[in-house]
Amino acid sequence: MARKKIALIGSGMIGGTLAHLAGLKELGDIVLFDIADGIPQGKGLDIAQSSPVEGFNASLTGASDYAAIEGADVCIVTAGVARKPGMSRDDLLGINLKVMEQVGAGIKKYAPNAFVICITNPLDAMVWALQKFSGLPKNMVVGMAGVLDSARFRLFLSEEFKVSVQDVTAFVLGGHGDTMVPLARYSTVAGIPLTDLVKMGWVTKERLEEIIQRTRDGGAEIVGLLKTGSAYYAPAASAIEMAESYLKDKKRVLPVAAHLSGQYGVKDMYVGVPTIIGAGGVERIVEIDLNKAEQEAFDKSVAAVAGLCEACINIAPALK
Ligand code: A3D
């Protein structure tokens, strides 16, 4: 069987890390793409030169022409700019929306059968626009955010409880970051819900709230430390987990920004929900009952995403 082909559109900090991880895990041959000519070629060559040492088999090439992504099985999109001081969220949205238009056209032309994972921010709006610009089936275009948000939550919980990260599961819904909705009664330590752990005296409600807030602010905490950029190791690892579930038909249950067509009462928007990712892309959206407080938090999150989509439509009316 021929190797799978993975196209990384955007070869910056996350793109380079994705290439390294995809190589180490032998997910397939890797094409790095970027408009900054030389960067994808240089990173590809550098990582390829690590393959004899690490002992993995994968070809890594770099390109600044979309023809190079032809026939890709997976495309992971990080192209765009990050917010710089003095730049409003709308400024960023306008710039990255144009990038999504170009990327969408490239994928439509050269990789129409790919499973597409968008990481570019503002995530929930960019993945929505990318699906429309590319015209790919909605179950084949997703956004990465929930895996990262829940990984951050799991890490902080494991540190709090002094248990292995492997025994902590977290359930998050909603938009990325600020409006993320962690569901304590579905997040567990070895199957014991956080709500029970509060009753058992493992953690107070107030301390749990602090951990949740740190998770929401997880991206900003890293930007504050790095000063010149945002997180890239954990975002890349999260997207690779999603790509692997698709490529190996693992049917992992993962929180992703998925297209909703009525689920959770939401129509034609991308919002973070639990999904099953397998060879059919998003094979199922897992719908759970929300209590009043959870529903309110989810509605607030959906309203924030809707606001971003409206802003996109104002810039590019064709998205309507
Ligand atoms: P960075 O290192 O700046 O890489 C972005 C790359 O995109 C650069 O190499 C650019 O040259 C390239 N690029 C710009 N415009 C285009 C274009 N039109 N076509 C092709 N390539 C282009 O950023 P990064 O890798 O650190 O982050 C990438 C994106 O991910 C940003 O939008 C971040 O805000 C976002 N991000 C999202 C999360 C989520 O959890 C959703 C987490 C971390 C970062």
Side-chain angles (χ1 to χ4, degrees):
M1 196 170 65
R3 284 186 204 150
K4 298 291 185 185
K5 178 168 175 177
I6 299 153
L8 306 174
I9 304 178
S11 303
M13 299 312 287
I14 301 179
T17 313
L18 286 167
H20 196 196
L21 287 174
L24 288 169
K25 288 178 175 262
E26 287 193 332
L27 292 187
D29 289 335
I30 299 149
V31 176
L32 290 120
F33 173 93
D34 206 289
I35 46 163
D37 199 29
I39 300 283
Q41 293 87 346
K43 289 196 178 185
L45 187 57
D46 187 10
I47 297 168
Q49 289 169 358
S50 77
S51 66
V53 183
E54 298 284 359
F56 66 82
N57 297 285
S59 110
L60 284 117
T61 48
S64 45
D65 180 339
Y66 274 104
I69 74 163
E70 185 157 21
D73 297 286
V74 169
C75 294
I76 308 182
V77 179
T78 59
V81 299
R83 203 159 132 189
K84 298 195 180 64
M87 193 190 262
S88 76
R89 186 174 260 230
D90 286 350
D91 293 339
L92 177 74
L93 189 116
I95 295 168
N96 284 351
L97 190 61
K98 286 216 171 67
V99 175
M100 290 306 105
E101 192 168 3
Q102 294 165 12
V103 174
I107 292 176
K108 183 180 194 163
K109 185 162 180 195
Y110 292 107
N113 298 318
F115 181 59
V116 177
I117 302 170
C118 180
I119 307 184
T120 302
N121 271 323
L123 190 270
D124 306 279
M126 291 303 105
V127 62
W128 173 81
L130 182 62
Q131 188 279 323
K132 293 199 184 254
F133 285 135
S134 69
L136 262 61
K138 296 180 174 97
N139 61 309
M140 294 295 278
V141 181
V142 296
M144 187 294 295
V147 175
L148 174 63
D149 287 332
S150 58
R152 287 175 172 155
F153 194 28
R154 287 170 65 196
L155 173 71
F156 300 151
L157 290 169
S158 81
E159 288 176 344
E160 181 70 17
F161 298 137
K162 300 192 176 45
V163 298
S164 164
V165 287
Q166 288 173 287
D167 295 319
V168 182
T169 64
F171 200 108
V172 297
L173 285 178
H176 178 46
D178 300 352
T179 61
M180 177 197 89
V181 184
L183 297 188
R185 65 195 175 108
Y186 288 110
S187 303
T188 74
V189 174
I192 309 166
L194 291 181
T195 39
D196 285 10
L197 291 168
V198 171
K199 284 184 210 148
M200 288 157 62
W202 278 42
V203 65
T204 61
K205 258 187 159 169
E206 294 69 35
R207 178 67 190 133
L208 187 56
E209 204 38 60
E210 279 171 24
I211 294 171
I212 288 172
Q213 196 51 44
R214 186 176 178 200
T215 307
R216 284 204 185 97
D217 297 337
E221 184 176 0
I222 291 184
V223 170
L225 292 166
L226 294 178
K227 296 185 183 71
T228 52
S230 52
Y232 50 97
Y233 291 112
S238 303
I240 289 291
E241 186 176 53
M242 293 162 65
E244 196 172 12
S245 191
Y246 169 75
L247 287 167
K248 298 184 180 169
D249 193 23
K250 289 177 83 166
K251 305 196 190 293
R252 296 286 313 274
V253 181
L254 298 172
V256 312
H259 184 271
L260 299 183
S261 51
Q263 299 92 338
Y264 290 97
V266 177
K267 280 215 176 86
D268 192 30
M269 267 171 64
Y270 272 79
V271 184
V273 290
T275 61
I276 297 172
I277 303 289
V282 176
E283 297 187 346
R284 183 172 189 169
I285 288 169
V286 182
E287 258 188 297
I288 54 155
D289 280 337
L290 300 179
N291 65 29
K292 195 163 168 277
E294 291 160 353
Q295 186 69 50
E296 275 170 18
F298 183 71
D299 291 347
K300 214 169 128 192
S301 187
V302 170
V305 177
L308 290 173
C309 294
E310 273 303 313
C312 289
I313 291 171
N314 289 339
I315 299 167
L319 286 170
K320 202 159 189 172

